[in-house]
């Protein structure tokens, strides 16, 4: 056998270093619950989706309890488009009439949920897909959405968004049962009202509440930016509640990033150890965040 070249030696050394670096993280997060929100915008290509599924299987294999909450906004939009139905949003929330609600349930609970479940299972995991209806997991109530100046009721109005809900309560029994049975829960953000009606809930909201109720070690929100960016487009690696307020007030944080960061803040205030907004377009983003010294994206602290 020939001697390894200098290049082979360096690369073997790097691999060993990276693997060793993972050990303290594996020890720290073993048996801990990690809620990972997989946004529809981060499910952009097949290779990335497979990388995500592999990461989840690996985390479970080394003793952590990953709980996946997924979105699927763009996928719902495409299906509505195919059916000739318009998508309408108010402040980032989809106006959801009865017909749209049916499509939301079909796409989130059927298509997207089962695609993620299937991918995880193909890599050797045991994923089980749930909507908030299963096992009475997510109780919802109709969201009363106020549009306009939040601090001035005179200048704002309540908008009827139809079947858009917020989380009223979460009964985590079914998630605990799956975790303890070595299954990986994959949750679609559909809740059920007292009247038995289905409600469409923003997936960030569900992930944040789920992390709080499960007393998770971490909430990781995967999206389609490097994390939270400043006004010059540079990544902000760490943010406190006060800094977040300032960035929202100055308009640097806007649109879909506002509910996302608020969910992250709420989760941290409710006892989740840390929340991260990371770039789902980077392959193996979850593994890099959890198992390397580098970390990726923005860390939000209370
Ligand atoms: N300061 C900011 N940093 C990064 N993204 C921001 C910021 N302010 C607004 N955004 C927008 O928020 C988007 C992420 O929210 P959203 O589209 O709802 O994501 P997802 O579908 O992953 O839930 C980004 O693509 C970006 O357009
Ligand atoms: C009320 C509301 O807007 N619900 C979202 C639910 C899916 C979601 O949140 O998906 P992403 O995470 O991919 O954006 C929707 O209908 O698009």
């Amino acid at each position: 056998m020939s001697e390894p070249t200098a290049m082979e030696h360096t690369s073997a050394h790097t691999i060993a270093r990276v693997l060793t670096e993972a050990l303290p993280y594996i020890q720290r997060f073993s048996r801990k619950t990690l809620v990972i929100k997989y946004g529809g915008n981060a499910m952009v290509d097949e290779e990335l989706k497979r990388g995500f599924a592999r990461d989840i299987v690996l985390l479970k294999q080394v003793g952590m309890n990953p709980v996946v909450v997924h979105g699927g906004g763009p996928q719902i939009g495409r299906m509505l488009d195919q059916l000739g139905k318009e998508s309408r949003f108010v402040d980032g929330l989809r106006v959801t009439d009865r017909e749209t609600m049916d499509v939301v349930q079909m796409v989130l609970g059927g298509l997207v949920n089962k695609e993620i479940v299937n991918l995880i299972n193909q890599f050797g995991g045991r994923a089980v897909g749930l909507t908030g209806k299963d096992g009475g997991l997510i109780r919802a109530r109709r969201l009363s959405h106020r549009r306009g100046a939040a601090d001035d009721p005179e200048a704002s109005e309540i908008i009827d968004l139809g079947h858009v809900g917020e989380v009223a309560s979460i009964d985590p029994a079914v998630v605990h049962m799956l975790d303890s049975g070595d299954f990986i829960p994959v949750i679609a953000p559909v809740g059920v009202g007292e009247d038995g009606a289905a409600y469409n809930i923003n997936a960030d909201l569900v992930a944040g509440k789920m992390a709080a109720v499960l007393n998770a070690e971490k909430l990781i929100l995967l999206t389609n930016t490097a994390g939270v960016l400043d006004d010059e487009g540079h990544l902000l690696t760490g943010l406190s509640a006060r800094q977040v307020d300032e960035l929202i007030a100055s308009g640097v944080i806007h649109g879909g990033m506002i509910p996302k960061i608020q969910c992250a803040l709420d989760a941290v205030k409710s006892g989740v150890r840390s929340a991260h907004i990371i770039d789902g377009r980077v392959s193996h983003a979850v593994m890099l965040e959890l198992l390397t010294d580098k970390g990726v994206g923005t860390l939000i602290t209370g």
Side-chain angles (χ1 to χ4, degrees), residues 268-291:
V268 171
K269 284 180 187 157
S270 309
V272 175
R273 217 59 58 83
S274 65
H276 305 254
I277 295 178
I278 70 170
D279 196 344
R281 303 165 306 175
V282 171
S283 65
H284 297 289
V286 172
M287 203 168 62
L288 289 172
E289 171 50 45
L290 276 164
L291 300 184

Side-chain angles (χ1 to χ4, degrees), residues 81-92:
D81 209 35
Q82 282 170 25
L83 297 168
K85 220 171 144 49
E86 194 197 353
S87 288
R88 209 155 65 80
F89 288 89
V90 173
D91 295 335

Side-chain angles (χ1 to χ4, degrees), residues 37 39-41 71-74 76 89 92-94 104 108 164 189 200-204:
K37 189 262 175 163
N41 280 317
I76 298 167
F89 288 89
L93 297 168
R94 184 185 307 280
V104 167
L108 293 184
V164 172
N200 178 14
I201 313 177
N202 174 281
D204 293 331

